Amino acid sequence: MKKFCVISTRAPYASTAVRDALETLLAAASCDLQGTLLALGDGVFQLLANQNPENVAQKNTGAMLGLLPLYGIDRVYACEEDIKERGLDGCPMAGQIQRIPRKEIAQLLAQQHWVLNF
């Protein structure tokens, strides 16, 4: 099975980049690609539980994260150092997020057939 990784580096409601990344990941999974989501930098904010984007007139991307397991996407990673640098270490995350040290990211990406960065 071909492996496909989407890297999400943007805060969830600053643009459509996060929604685009998640939609791309879901579409790839529906084409029998083994999907992985990797949140880096401000992208780790999208993984927070209990988001309330109604104040900025946006749809909650957390609902899309909830769809990932239904599409067979169970590999969701967040850079451990990026979580800590943004003060999110004790915050609840949406779903089963695997923290990955920055030094192991290159190895994760080397295992993929395709990588898209949003």
Side-chain angles (χ1 to χ4, degrees):
M1 181 179 277
K2 297 288 185 176
K3 295 180 180 180
F4 184 85
C5 182
V6 169
I7 301 173
S8 189
T9 61
R10 309 268 177 98
Y13 306 108
S15 70
T16 63
V18 170
R19 290 187 64 78
D20 295 342
L22 292 173
E23 287 175 0
T24 300
L25 186 58
L26 292 172
S30 68
C31 294
D32 293 327
L33 296 174
Q34 184 180 18
T36 299
L37 175 63
L38 172 61
L40 300 176
D42 287 344
V44 298
F45 286 111
Q46 72 184 281
L47 303 176
L48 291 173
N50 306 317
Q51 296 181 29
N52 190 7
E54 292 79 21
N55 296 335
V56 292
Q58 297 269 346
K59 291 184 180 181
N60 190 337
T61 57
M64 291 180 77
L65 286 171
L67 292 175
L68 297 181
L70 298 174
Y71 282 76
I73 302 166
D74 56 1
R75 286 162 301 281
V76 178
Y77 297 94
C79 178
E80 187 169 11
E81 290 85 354
D82 291 343
I83 289 172
K84 290 178 181 177
E85 288 169 5
R86 284 155 181 80
L88 304 177
D89 203 20
C91 296
M93 297 288 176
Q96 297 295 322
I97 310 302
Q98 300 176 51
R99 294 177 179 213
I100 184 170
R102 191 172 282 136
K103 65 182 179 182
E104 294 179 17
I105 291 173
Q107 180 182 0
L108 173 69
L109 296 177
Q111 298 170 0
Q112 308 301 312
H113 292 95
W114 296 285
V115 176
L116 288 179
N117 190 5
F118 286 84

